[in-house]
Amino acid sequence: MIETYGDDETVRAILRDAGDTWAVVGLSNNRERAAYGVAALLQRMGKRVVPVHPRAETVLGEKGWASLREIPFPVDVVDVFVRSEAAGAVADDAIAVGARAVWFQLGVIDPEAHRRVREAGLAMVMDRCPAIEYGRMA
């Protein structure tokens, strides 16, 4: 049996109901990276995109932060564009800051992080892309 980490109902719930403030971890001003394109789409869909990157640069008009724990306001969804090996720590930070959901992008896979996030009561999707899912829902 193939393990799935986010059914269509969970995907829809995060995209529609989890909230409008999305921290995008790994987002920089590099327009060639997938994170930039997804963040731009999220903004067009009415989401506030908060860049999280070690350089903490302003991206798409939003002030950046070096880590989730530095953001001084509530974050609803944490969208993760980092290597799978680093994603678990981001998931733990998402739990710690009180996010409502965590989204691991295509190719970002950490079953143990998924388990921890779900046990903490957050919604989670893994190895999917919100840009693709918005297109499927349209």
Side-chain angles (χ1 to χ4, degrees), residues 57-111:
E57 56 193 348
T58 297
V59 182
L60 296 165
E62 283 284 345
K63 177 183 175 7
W65 302 90
S67 74
L68 283 174
R69 292 177 186 254
E70 291 181 16
I71 300 171
F73 49 83
V75 169
D76 299 311
V77 180
V78 176
D79 190 2
V80 182
F81 279 93
V82 300
R83 293 180 325 277
S84 295
E85 305 82 56
V90 176
D92 294 337
D93 284 350
I95 294 166
V97 302
R100 296 173 64 192
V102 176
W103 192 300
F104 280 10
Q105 283 294 326
L106 289 172
V108 180
I109 300 169
D110 183 337

Side-chain angles (χ1 to χ4, degrees), residues 10-69:
T10 302
V11 167
R12 276 189 216 87
I14 292 173
L15 292 175
R16 292 183 181 158
D17 305 324
D20 290 331
T21 301
W22 284 53
V24 180
V25 180
L27 176 59
S28 72
N29 277 308
N30 184 344
R31 293 173 183 254
E32 303 296 315
R33 306 286 300 191
Y36 191 93
V38 170
L41 174 97
L42 289 169
Q43 275 192 335
R44 288 192 304 275
M45 300 308 290
K47 307 298 183 187
R48 177 183 184 189
V49 171
V50 181
V52 179
H53 191 281
R55 287 192 300 265
E57 56 193 348
T58 297
V59 182
L60 296 165
E62 283 284 345
K63 177 183 175 7
W65 302 90
S67 74
L68 283 174
R69 292 177 186 254

